[in-house]
Amino acid sequence: MYEGAGTCYARDGVTFLDLFDADEYAERRKENLFYPFASREEWEVADFLLRSPLSMAAINQFLGLPMILRLKLSFRNAKELRSRAEMLPKGPSWKCQTIPSLNPTKSPIRLFWRDPVECLESLFSNPLFHDQLDFVPRRVYTTSARLLRVYSEWLTSDSAWEIQDQLPRGATVLGTVLSSDKTNITNMTGARLAHPLLLGLANIRMSTRTKLSSRAFLLTALLPIPEYLYPKQRMRGMLEDRLMHECLSIVLKPLMIAAEIGIMMSDPRTRSITLEQLDSITVDPDDLEAYFQACEEYRLNGVHSPFWKDWPLADPSVFLTPEPLHHWHKEFYDHDLQWCLIVVGAQELDFRISILQPTVGYRHFHGGISKLKQVTGRVHRDIQRYIIGLIAGAAPRQFVVAIRALMDVRYMAQSPSPDENLLARIDRSLSIFHKNKDIILSLGARMGTKKPIDNWFIPKLELMQSITASSRKVGALIQWSADTTEHAHISEIKDPARHTNNNDYDPQICRHLDHQEKLRRFAIATALKSSCAHSNSEEFLEDEVDEEDDEDCDEVTDLRTALLEELNHTHITTNYFSKARQLVATRRDNIPHPPRTFVAASTAIHLNFSPTRTGLKIDEVADDFNIPDLRQVLSDFLQCDTRNGEAGHGLGVPRRSLIDRPSTLPFERIQVWHVVRLQQVSFHDASVVLPAQTVHASPPSPVSGWPKGRQDAVLVNVDQAYDWPKSGLMGHQVCELQLIMRPVPRRRSRITWHDQYLCYVHSFKMGAIDPVTEMHVLKRAKHANGAPVGDIVPLGQLRAFIHIIPQLGPVADARLTKANSTHYHSSFFLNKYFDKQIYDALSQG
């Protein structure tokens, strides 16, 4: 920890609730907390109407309904409702400024903006972030010996430490996150654009700041998008760049003053080199074409006064970080994927991806990928999951190695806590790409619009060279991804635009956001004050837990955290770990035994309350699922279970021979489930629960489109000394899940065996790692007679869903479909690129 940083000088600063109590209507709120509304109920009605997409006329209609009139609301129409909303406490105010220009434009240039210091103070004092803020730079190591440095949050980076070095003792560093990108307001007609500038606080922890629903970014400015009348397109572009820097200088001036005088609130191109190059240019900046020509010598874009020039400690070589969404994922789609389509062939690659067995929760590209329209960042990532396994065998080995090396860079660079070892591996992967990239040019894969390109002038690829240096400077790069700010375009631009009259968007967007912020601030303040007035925090939390007994979320442990989730309408991942704990603690007669939800090691397992089929005879199930040895393996399992007790069950254990008599079992019927859900915690942070993955074990059913059945691959634990994912594949085996069941005792008989859920699996033999794809090769385990090796294991030994890709060879068989491609293959890749959890677990060391 940096000693002497982040000093608290006094505890009498102005808080969020202090501002609420200092409002001009604060005296009236002592008697009625919800003033200017008559009661909590009236406020809730008003809040609903003001947040709804209803027009003024529709609100008038609603308020005129006889039933609503009987409520005797204090506002009778939409105009009165809006006027009362204007009386609510406000946040940072909007300003409008006309920007003069020496070059004519079609319309006046107007800049709408808010004071960025006020916006930062609003985020800083927001009670919903009270336990998510850090203030002191620190250096994190994996061990007490301090040999291996870890870079995660911004305050763990070198730049935060270096900035603190330049500040007086006791000063607190507040990191400003700025994001700006044009976005469409209308898609179908008019092609209207907006250019938002979003502001965030880097001191808010990464897990909260990058969560889409946290609203940790505020719209600080709407930058103008003028239409210059200058005849040359290239000069119009330079004028637009200059205007953007001029507007940023205006908007960010308060931050520059704050950095200079210290009111910090209750290719690599360095700063100095760029400013020296600009100072050396003697051409008049108003002589556009001559100035632009002089700038080309230094590869500058013609902006003579960059906005960061007067901002102390601001260095573009530091704050312009590699950005995952646009620099890595977009680079993959624009370049890597296009190379693959040319080398493998668009038709062949489309067919290969279309015959992969679908996975619940993930996009299946039934129509291929070569002709996709309106491709988003999520689609980029979805294609990345499969591409390495699909091109293997169809593309030259050196080409696959080059594509795989870049894919490794993307996956490793997305780590939320990279250490020095990981950064060294990223550099090695980049080196592997550069050693093998010539094959891409020699195959003619790097194509322009009409002919092959014979150079490597790809800015996004060049930016990947700075990943490791930037990680050390500013922490984990995944926290700077534009995913969050791109999503903010919906709430900050597109949704407000729908409430306009489709003319002169900017002022109407600002007005709508002002209304919404007043509602939000009022809701937070009244909720906090109401809870304090009516009960203490512990009673409130107990009530919340009682009301949400049946909800799939963790017990609420903090009032403000609960408010954050409620007010942001946060989507809460179904938490089967919590649900299992509740079932253990709750003793109810209507809860089945064994419980349908339970935890096994680091995995939560959930079955539907009602089996898919129940009371089926064993031989019927054997016929339906095409498992001829089901009765025999059940008998073997029960004998093994009696001997081993709580010890784990192995796979591929030689069976005893049954000479003349059939297997005898203490039961004749079983319950059957076709799906099970497996849930894990994050590899990097055990407090983060990942979404559950649905795993199928369905019988053949031509009617449902699965003539061979639908079976997914899973990871089975065979040695309790090892725990997934930290252990990797050690002590585990990959299997194909064929059947999920529970034996049912005969009528009026007692259960004489260990009552638990069981599953029948087909084993894979784990081969060596393929040197081209660096993925494990799996082959179906078979008996001497060619029959698959099947075993019974407790459902509690399942650990994770595993995605496998058939080894399709140079050309995929045209008879394959998504429903039979897995069935007709015996050799597969264990797809470590399916998600980052599997990638990190399999890439340790």
Side-chain angles (χ1 to χ4, degrees):
M1 302 288 283
Y2 194 107
E3 291 187 13
T7 300
C8 179
Y9 291 99
R11 296 189 178 275
D12 55 357
V14 179
T15 66
F16 177 86
L17 289 180
D18 290 337
L19 291 173
F20 182 77
D21 291 335
D23 182 73
E24 59 180 306
Y25 301 106
E27 284 298 317
R28 302 200 179 199
R29 292 199 186 99
K30 290 180 179 179
E31 296 180 2
N32 172 20
L33 178 61
F34 299 93
Y35 184 85
F37 302 100
S39 64
R40 177 197 290 271
E41 290 75 18
E42 184 174 287
W43 152 244
E44 290 174 348
V45 172
D47 185 45
F48 170 78
L49 292 175
L50 290 167
R51 291 180 187 272
S52 74
L54 296 175
S55 65
M56 298 278 279
I59 292 176
N60 286 334
Q61 253 186 316
F62 174 81
L63 294 174
L65 294 173
M67 184 176 73
I68 303 303
L69 290 173
R70 287 196 291 273
L71 297 177
K72 296 183 179 179
L73 300 173
S74 62
F75 47 88
R76 293 166 297 178
N77 52 50
K79 187 176 180 181
E80 289 184 14
L81 174 61
R82 289 285 179 89
S83 66
R84 289 178 186 273
E86 291 293 336
M87 299 167 66
L88 299 177
K90 64 179 182 178
S93 301
W94 284 95
K95 308 169 187 179
C96 179
Q97 182 171 342
T98 302
I99 309 296
S101 174
L102 297 176
N103 297 277
T105 58
K106 278 192 174 182
S107 56
I109 302 173
R110 292 187 301 169
L111 169 66
F112 290 86
W113 64 288
R114 299 193 281 187
D115 189 320
V117 172
E118 292 181 10
C119 291
L120 276 183
E121 287 176 339
S122 178
L123 291 170
F124 185 81
S125 63
N126 190 331
L128 303 183
F129 298 140
H130 77 289
D131 58 349
Q132 298 295 319
L133 289 164
D134 293 320
F135 304 110
V136 181
R138 59 191 186 276
R139 287 173 176 160
V140 180
Y141 298 88
T142 55
T143 65
S144 58
R146 300 188 178 185
L147 299 176
L148 193 62
R149 179 90 177 268
V150 178
Y151 305 90
S152 54
E153 303 284 352
W154 173 66
L155 285 170
T156 69
S157 68
D158 289 341
S159 68
W161 195 278
E162 291 165 3
I163 291 172
Q164 189 75 56
D165 276 340
Q166 301 176 59
L167 298 178
R169 183 177 178 82
T172 301
V173 178
L174 292 187
T176 305
V177 185
L178 296 173
S179 175
S180 180
D181 189 19
K182 291 179 182 177
T183 185
N184 288 318
I185 296 178
T186 59
N187 290 323
M188 302 301 292
T189 58
R192 301 293 180 87
L193 295 172
H195 195 169
L197 176 68
L198 295 160
L199 178 143
L201 182 60
N203 300 68
I204 299 174
R205 288 176 194 157
M206 187 195 326
S207 58
T208 297
R209 179 164 31 91
T210 57
K211 189 181 291 183
L212 301 182
S213 59
S214 291
R215 301 181 70 91
F217 286 86
L218 295 179
L219 181 66
T220 300
L222 282 170
L223 304 178
I225 307 176
E227 292 185 57
Y228 283 100
L229 301 179
Y230 201 91
K232 292 187 178 180
Q233 171 65 35
R234 200 170 187 183
M235 296 302 105
R236 292 201 298 269
M238 185 177 73
L239 289 171
E240 290 171 4
D241 290 342
R242 286 187 177 184
L243 176 64
M244 187 185 76
H245 279 263
E246 182 180 354
C247 291
L248 288 175
S249 297
I250 295 170
V251 174
L252 301 176
K253 187 66 176 176
L255 282 179
M256 299 177 195
I257 295 172
E260 184 175 355
I261 66 175
I263 56 167
M264 294 304 285
M265 278 182 235
S266 313
D267 70 340
R269 181 188 294 275
T270 65
R271 170 192 178 91
S272 58
I273 291 175
T274 303
L275 293 179
E276 287 172 9
Q277 291 172 342
L278 287 172
D279 289 341
S280 69
I281 298 175
T282 57
V283 179
D284 182 1
D286 292 333
D287 186 351
L288 298 183
E289 296 186 31
Y291 190 83
F292 185 81
Q293 189 173 1
C295 287
E296 284 187 316
E297 180 182 346
Y298 301 108
R299 298 181 67 186
L300 298 172
N301 66 353
V303 175
H304 63 287
S305 181
F307 74 90
W308 44 265
K309 181 176 66 174
D310 299 321
W311 196 337
L313 309 180
D315 190 333
S317 67
V318 176
F319 67 68
L320 293 178
T321 68
E323 194 277 299
L325 181 64
H326 295 96
H327 295 170
W328 307 343
H329 302 309
K330 190 73 162 62
E331 186 278 335
F332 163 78
Y333 188 81
D334 290 348
H335 300 285
D336 301 31
L337 179 60
Q338 307 311 315
W339 302 336
C340 293
L341 287 168
I342 292 171
V343 172
V344 177
Q347 185 175 357
E348 174 68 15
L349 194 53
D350 283 344
F351 179 69
R352 285 173 173 249
I353 200 167
S354 71
I355 61 174
L356 291 179
Q357 181 168 305
T359 303
V360 174
Y362 296 87
R363 178 168 178 174
H364 182 259
F365 296 93
H366 58 85
I369 54 178
S370 64
K371 297 180 181 178
L372 293 174
K373 304 295 183 184
Q374 294 187 336
V375 179
T376 63
R378 176 165 183 174
V379 175
H380 298 163
R381 280 169 278 208
D382 283 339
I383 299 173
Q384 288 172 27
R385 301 179 198 278
Y386 314 113
I387 196 69
I388 303 301
L390 292 175
I391 64 174
R397 293 167 63 90
Q398 189 180 350
F399 177 85
V400 178
V401 169
I403 300 298
R404 187 214 75 220
L406 283 185
M407 192 66 70
D408 285 332
V409 171
R410 288 185 200 93
Y411 274 68
M412 288 188 286
Q414 292 178 73
S415 170
S417 54
D419 57 27
E420 289 290 352
N421 284 345
L422 185 68
L423 298 182
R425 286 166 53 201
I426 291 174
D427 284 335
R428 283 198 296 272
S429 290
L430 284 170
S431 178
I432 290 171
F433 167 75
H434 289 300
K435 288 178 182 176
N436 292 276
K437 67 183 180 183
D438 289 344
I439 187 71
I440 298 171
L441 297 184
S442 63
L443 291 172
R446 179 152 156 68
M447 284 290 296
T449 53
K450 294 182 178 179
K451 61 181 182 179
I453 300 173
D454 61 356
N455 62 63
W456 288 103
F457 300 152
I458 304 175
K460 289 183 175 69
L461 188 60
E462 185 177 348
L463 282 167
M464 295 179 83
Q465 312 307 309
S466 62
I467 286 175
T468 55
S470 291
S471 295
R472 295 185 180 98
K473 275 288 185 184
V474 298
L477 298 182
I478 190 64
Q479 66 184 310
W480 312 120
S481 176
D483 287 275
T484 309
T485 51
E486 289 281 330
H487 187 268
H489 289 173
I490 298 173
S491 60
E492 306 298 305
I493 300 295
K494 296 185 179 182
D495 285 346
R498 295 189 185 100
H499 290 78
T500 68
N501 61 6
N502 294 322
N503 283 302
D504 201 12
Y505 284 97
D506 288 5
Q508 296 182 72
I509 288 173
C510 296
R511 194 175 300 116
H512 177 83
L513 289 174
D514 191 47
H515 288 158
Q516 295 300 303
E517 187 157 358
K518 288 180 177 179
L519 296 173
R520 182 177 170 80
R521 294 170 73 90
F522 191 75
I524 293 172
T526 53
L528 288 171
K529 282 184 164 288
S530 295
S531 64
C532 294
H534 293 94
S535 62
N536 59 39
S537 297
E538 288 75 19
E539 293 171 339
F540 176 84
L541 294 175
E542 289 171 3
D543 291 342
E544 288 293 302
V545 173
D546 289 342
E547 291 172 7
E548 297 182 358
D549 268 347
D550 297 324
E551 293 294 321
D552 297 323
C553 59
D554 276 327
E555 295 84 0
V556 180
T557 57
D558 184 271
L559 169 61
R560 291 174 178 176
T561 302
L563 280 173
L564 176 64
E565 293 173 347
E566 179 183 350
L567 294 170
N568 286 337
H569 306 288
T570 303
H571 171 72
I572 303 173
T573 299
T574 301
N575 189 334
Y576 291 118
F577 291 93
S578 175
K579 198 169 185 178
R581 289 194 297 269
Q582 292 174 9
L583 289 174
V584 171
T586 305
R587 296 180 179 178
R588 294 180 183 173
D589 295 335
N590 60 345
I591 295 178
H593 183 81
R596 301 286 196 257
T597 305
F598 57 96
V599 175
S602 59
T603 301
I605 301 174
H606 173 75
L607 291 169
N608 290 337
F609 183 86
S610 299
T612 309
R613 302 177 70 183
T614 188
L616 292 177
K617 290 184 178 181
I618 294 173
D619 293 335
E620 292 176 356
V621 174
D623 290 339
D624 289 348
F625 284 79
N626 193 24
I627 307 175
D629 61 346
L630 179 59
R631 183 177 290 275
Q632 178 183 341
V633 293
L634 276 170
S635 178
D636 288 345
F637 171 81
L638 290 178
Q639 291 195 26
C640 180
D641 194 47
T642 302
R643 292 193 303 269
N644 294 350
E646 295 297 322
H649 291 263
L651 295 169
V653 178
R655 298 183 189 147
R656 60 185 178 84
S657 58
L658 299 175
I659 304 174
D660 294 321
R661 59 186 181 81
S663 305
T664 57
L665 297 171
F667 52 84
E668 191 56 39
R669 297 180 182 272
I670 57 177
Q671 297 172 327
V672 173
W673 285 262
H674 288 179
V675 296
V676 61
R677 291 180 179 84
L678 305 179
Q679 187 170 52
Q680 303 173 67
V681 295
S682 170
F683 179 85
H684 295 281
D685 185 354
S687 66
V688 177
V689 177
L690 302 177
Q693 180 60 53
T694 299
V695 180
H696 283 266
S698 306
S701 175
V703 176
S704 64
W706 295 92
K708 302 298 181 182
R710 185 174 184 181
Q711 300 89 22
D712 288 323
V714 291
L715 192 69
V716 178
N717 177 268
V718 293
D719 188 339
Q720 294 179 352
Y722 298 95
D723 188 23
W724 172 267
K726 293 300 182 182
S727 64
L729 292 175
M730 290 290 293
H732 296 82
Q733 193 164 332
V734 179
C735 300
E736 191 175 65
L737 187 63
Q738 300 287 323
L739 172 66
I740 306 163
M741 59 185 164
R742 173 179 172 254
V744 178
R746 294 187 177 96
R747 187 174 296 180
R748 296 193 183 92
S749 65
R750 295 173 55 210
I751 296 178
T752 58
W753 61 91
H754 182 198
D755 191 8
Q756 59 184 325
Y757 303 106
L758 306 175
C759 53
Y760 180 91
V761 297
H762 283 163
S763 299
F764 289 105
K765 288 183 179 178
M766 183 83 68
I769 295 178
D770 175 52
V772 178
T773 63
E774 289 197 348
M775 293 192 284
H776 286 87
V777 175
L778 304 174
K779 295 185 181 294
R780 292 191 185 276
K782 295 183 179 181
H783 294 293
N785 63 359
V789 175
D791 290 282
I792 296 287
V793 293
L795 191 66
Q797 287 184 216
L798 269 57
R799 292 294 177 265
F801 166 83
I802 294 293
H803 188 263
I804 57 177
I805 296 178
Q807 288 190 301
L808 298 171
V811 180
D813 192 319
R815 295 170 294 180
L816 295 175
T817 69
K818 66 179 184 181
N820 66 21
S821 59
T822 302
H823 178 81
Y824 284 118
H825 274 85
S826 59
S827 182
F828 304 85
F829 288 119
L830 195 169
N831 184 15
K832 71 175 183 178
Y833 297 100
F834 183 72
D835 63 32
K836 292 192 286 289
Q837 177 87 349
I838 293 175
Y839 183 87
D840 292 335
L842 299 185
S843 303
Q844 298 177 74

